[in-house]
Amino acid sequence: MNQEFKKTTFRDDFTFFNSPASIKRFPFPFWEDKYMYSVNIEPHTAGAPGSVFEFPIDINEHYVSEMADRAIVLKEDPLRCQALPHMMLAQWDFLELLMTSMARDYPQWFSLTTQGDHWHWVNKPLGIDQKFVFGDPSTLPYEPMEYMGRQCQGDFSIQDQRDGQLWMDAGVITTQADWSLDFDVGMNFMEWHGPVPLAHDMKVFDRALKFLLNLQLGEPVRRLNWTMTINPRLDTSPENYNKWGKDRTTVTPENVGDKVHLRVELQALWRLPRSNAILFSIRGYLIKMRELVTVPKWGRRMHRVLGTLPPELIDYKGITRYRDTTLEWLSQYDDGAPTSPGGGPD
Amino acid sequence: MLVEGIKSRPRYPGLTADKHANHHIFAADGEGAQAILDLFTNESDAIKGRVTVVYAQTTPGSEAYAAKLNALSVDIVHIMPTVETALNRLAGVLHAARMGARMYAAGTETLIGFTVQLAQQLGMDPGAVLTEHRGTAARRVQCVHCKGFTENVTTNIVPCAHCGEHLLVRDHYSKRLAAFQGVCADAEVRGELPEISEVFK
Ligand code: HEM
């Protein structure tokens, strides 16, 4: 069973890599040769078999390794997982959504049996067999959000909805692109998006918030977001920026292919049934430049997007120091040929 | 990384009297007293019912202000030596307050931030506190690394009072923590710091 999951690391010796199959299903986020923020929201409906959109929750070859990395982060810094007291009902909503989706879509790995409030959850890859009472936190080893957050790839935050706003009142966030849950918890949609350049003036956040306030039960939506990361490091938190920041100075023409990673977030949003809160999942995918250029269209397009990225985005995403070196390396893979529309390989 | 112009930074529109309130509770420090005095000059007709003032004497001119506040037609002025003691007194006042009370905060961002935080902790809507910024723009900063707070920060870069990292002070602000965010300024290349200048005067 466990052979299907790689044992690789996202810190220290950084042994992470993608299998050819994993490269093929990578959610390449650029549908044209340039990039700018937009309200890029679409229904989170089932995609092609084998794609990252096949199921609402995507479990892949990195599952076991990513869960091991999360356990390390939470051990070193418990504040990466926080829930304000009024979020308990939403935590149970979250646990239910994950357990039912995972058991339904990956029956070979997960199973859920319920008899009234008496639930039995089995997670074979992580060796977990848990009987508990739904709604009674004392019957689980962690609070419900942390319990399932430790068993599902991706970061999660849960937003309470009140006064025509969304409030980030809970989350388990260990693989973030340089933002702090501990600092942002309790903020509203406009406040936690405060640090994002340009998008406020483009009214991206006004429109997105209006849309989300009307999000319906059973009609989840998704969007893609991206950044770049040096080394396949999942924990690029501001908390540890004083440890990983120096990685950005280590890129050379020789090591671009292995060190520089595109990091794509498949973000999905669900209305939760009991609490009326909104769940936000941030499912991250890493790919090395060397892996990326095995798809010729992606190599060409990555070069063009990075070359024309607005300066505000280069700065915000922290790419400044290694952008030129990366561009130079990518130029070998850009013959100037036209690219087809959409993100998929040609 | 965006440093300035971040939308989470609160705005302080200035004090206006709530003519529907039956109890007006003011928290102020230093120059904030003048905002209360101005309100009483301009809108005294609209201030009906009880008035409670909690004032922290934090600047050299504070004693003179305290005397002027005492001369207003108010129920009581609590004169306190520091922001911390003023907040404890304010908490006591708020616990005894009833429906129909309105909170005002005037003075430094730190005093306002703590007052809003207290209101929130007591289950009030933080937006219900009327605010006016007066006096120093010095900031309370939380180190994102060790989570320690450094008070009265006036420079763009400040050594964390706890772990010693040189922190770049961002406009990103948490009402829950009543603090701005400080992030290691030389994480990428140690010692490579921007020019240090007094920007929050
Ligand atoms: C409730 C759901 C959402 C949550 C919890 C959330 C959270 C966040 C956070 C924490 C950041 C990082 C801000 C920082 O630098 O400190 C961010 C960035 C961003 N968010 Fe959201 N977000 C949500 C929904 C959306 C939606 C629906 C959109 C747009 C249509 C959006 C657009 C963006 C953009 C453009 C960025 C900048 C990303 C980059 O350049 O890397 N967000 N979001």
Side-chain angles (χ1 to χ4, degrees):
Chain A
M1 179 65 57
N2 285 9
Q3 296 94 300
E4 294 167 86
F5 299 106
K6 287 219 178 67
K7 282 274 164 56
T8 59
T9 56
F10 301 92
R11 56 183 67 227
D12 306 322
D13 56 353
F14 295 111
T15 59
F16 166 89
F17 69 97
N18 287 298
S19 69
S22 179
I23 295 173
K24 213 173 134 232
R25 73 198 295 277
F26 187 82
F28 190 71
F30 307 117
W31 44 278
E32 56 181 352
D33 288 351
K34 58 184 191 317
Y35 178 80
M36 188 45 183
Y37 294 143
S38 63
V39 189
N40 54 337
I41 302 177
E42 61 176 13
H44 191 34
T45 44
S51 77
V52 299
F53 304 123
E54 181 176 7
F55 301 121
I57 300 287
D58 181 44
I59 302 295
N60 71 359
E61 64 185 21
H62 305 299
Y63 175 64
V64 171
S65 304
E66 286 188 24
M67 293 302 97
D69 197 76
R70 166 155 301 157
I72 299 173
V73 174
L74 290 175
K75 186 185 268 184
E76 291 178 352
D77 182 1
L79 293 179
R80 301 297 188 86
C81 180
Q82 294 192 41
L84 298 182
H86 61 274
M87 296 303 280
M88 190 46 89
L89 195 58
Q91 291 199 40
W92 287 107
D93 278 334
F94 166 77
L95 173 139
E96 177 189 52
L97 177 70
L98 263 52
M99 284 188 177
T100 52
S101 313
M102 290 162 75
R104 179 192 62 222
D105 299 330
Y106 304 95
Q108 69 278 34
W109 298 326
F110 311 106
S111 81
L112 178 68
T113 359
T114 62
Q115 228 178 10
D117 289 342
H118 290 263
W119 290 32
H120 182 194
W121 166 251
V122 179
N123 176 336
K124 288 187 204 151
L126 297 185
I128 292 169
D129 185 315
Q130 178 79 43
K131 293 191 171 116
F132 64 100
V133 178
F134 186 87
D136 181 355
S138 71
T139 58
L140 284 174
Y142 303 98
E143 286 195 356
M145 180 185 67
E146 177 166 359
Y147 182 73
M148 271 323 275
R150 287 172 175 269
Q151 296 183 52
C152 189
Q153 285 171 282
D155 282 352
F156 297 92
S157 70
I158 311 180
Q159 284 61 231
D160 193 24
Q161 182 164 333
R162 52 178 198 274
D163 306 328
Q165 256 297 352
L166 295 175
W167 304 87
M168 193 191 285
D169 287 345
V172 46
I173 305 286
T174 63
T175 68
Q176 67 268 49
D178 210 3
W179 64 277
S180 166
L181 173 74
D182 180 48
F183 195 77
D184 287 4
V185 78
M187 285 189 191
N188 69 35
F189 193 83
M190 293 302 168
E191 290 171 339
W192 81 63
H193 279 121
V196 181
L198 304 177
H200 289 271
D201 292 338
M202 294 166 63
K203 302 273 177 242
V204 165
F205 294 123
D206 294 301
R207 280 150 58 204
L209 175 61
K210 200 168 162 217
F211 180 89
L212 292 182
L213 291 172
N214 287 310
L215 188 67
Q216 300 296 310
L217 187 64
E219 294 173 23
V221 295
R222 66 175 171 240
R223 62 184 295 267
L224 293 179
N225 184 50
W226 68 279
T227 190
M228 298 187 83
T229 305
I230 301 310
N231 296 325
R233 189 189 291 281
L234 289 177
D235 177 16
T236 48
S237 59
E239 277 80 1
N240 284 331
Y241 173 57
N242 50 354
K243 303 186 185 107
W244 59 262
K246 59 177 184 295
D247 293 2
R248 288 178 173 163
T249 64
T250 60
V251 178
T252 64
E254 293 70 43
N255 67 20
V256 168
D258 295 308
K259 264 204 183 279
V260 180
H261 292 71
L262 176 63
R263 179 190 190 283
V264 173
E265 297 174 351
L266 165 53
Q267 305 178 338
L269 294 128
W270 284 266
R271 176 70 67 192
L272 296 176
R274 299 173 185 78
S275 58
N276 199 43
I278 287 185
L279 171 65
F280 185 61
S281 66
I282 312 155
R283 175 69 168 87
Y285 298 85
L286 288 166
I287 191 168
K288 295 173 193 301
M289 287 300 114
R290 188 182 300 293
E291 295 168 344
L292 186 104
V293 299
T294 60
V295 177
K297 171 177 165 183
W298 293 352
R300 290 187 188 106
R301 182 163 287 170
M302 190 71 222
H303 178 243
R304 296 171 198 180
V305 167
L306 202 56
T308 56
L309 199 61
E312 292 86 352
L313 272 68
I314 297 173
D315 176 64
Y316 175 73
K317 292 175 188 286
I319 298 171
T320 313
R321 282 189 201 271
Y322 56 88
R323 174 168 168 267
D324 289 349
T325 314
T326 306
L327 263 182
E328 183 61 34
W329 187 86
L330 282 170
S331 68
Q332 318 165 57
Y333 300 93
D334 187 0
D335 53 8
T339 50
S340 60
D346 273 327
Chain B
M1 189 178 60
L2 213 57
V3 178
E4 284 171 49
I6 294 179
K7 298 273 187 301
S8 56
R9 178 167 185 204
R11 271 177 268 173
Y12 311 106
L15 299 188
T16 50
D18 176 358
K19 54 178 187 290
H20 303 295
N22 56 27
H23 183 187
H24 306 263
I25 302 171
F26 291 89
D29 68 346
E31 306 287 315
Q34 189 61 49
I36 300 176
L37 296 170
D38 290 348
L39 187 72
F40 272 78
T41 308
N42 301 330
E43 294 186 52
S44 59
D45 293 351
I47 307 172
K48 301 195 190 76
R50 287 167 60 202
V51 176
T52 305
V53 180
V54 180
Y55 180 58
Q57 289 194 355
T58 50
T59 53
S62 285
E63 264 181 55
Y65 277 131
K68 287 186 189 167
L69 288 172
N70 266 315
L72 295 172
S73 75
V74 301
D75 289 71
I76 183 163
V77 181
H78 299 274
I79 306 291
M80 309 302 293
T82 57
V83 168
E84 195 182 332
T85 53
L87 283 156
N88 288 337
R89 180 58 55 93
L90 181 66
V93 169
L94 290 174
H95 276 296
R98 295 299 162 93
M99 285 276 288
R102 164 68 68 183
M103 281 177 76
Y104 305 79
T108 61
E109 280 198 272
T110 301
L111 179 281
I112 297 172
F114 277 131
T115 304
V116 170
Q117 184 189 48
L118 184 63
Q120 204 168 14
Q121 284 165 359
L122 295 176
M124 292 178 226
D125 172 8
V129 183
L130 299 171
T131 58
E132 181 157 337
H133 181 221
R134 292 276 181 128
T136 169
R139 291 180 169 187
R140 179 173 136 88
V141 174
Q142 191 196 34
C143 172
V144 78
H145 311 293
C146 78
K147 307 289 178 186
F149 293 94
T150 303
E151 307 287 343
N152 295 317
V153 175
T154 59
T155 47
N156 57 335
I157 309 281
V158 67
C160 173
H162 306 267
C163 70
E165 287 284 17
H166 281 84
L167 302 177
L168 175 66
V169 181
R170 306 179 76 194
D171 274 357
H172 201 22
Y173 183 86
S174 161
K175 289 200 184 95
R176 187 180 66 92
L177 301 166
F180 289 91
Q181 188 177 60
V183 178
C184 183
D186 62 347
E188 300 187 9
V189 182
R190 287 290 169 179
E192 190 180 278
L193 289 171
E195 201 175 320
I196 300 179
S197 60
E198 195 152 347
V199 287
F200 314 121
K201 276 190 270 213

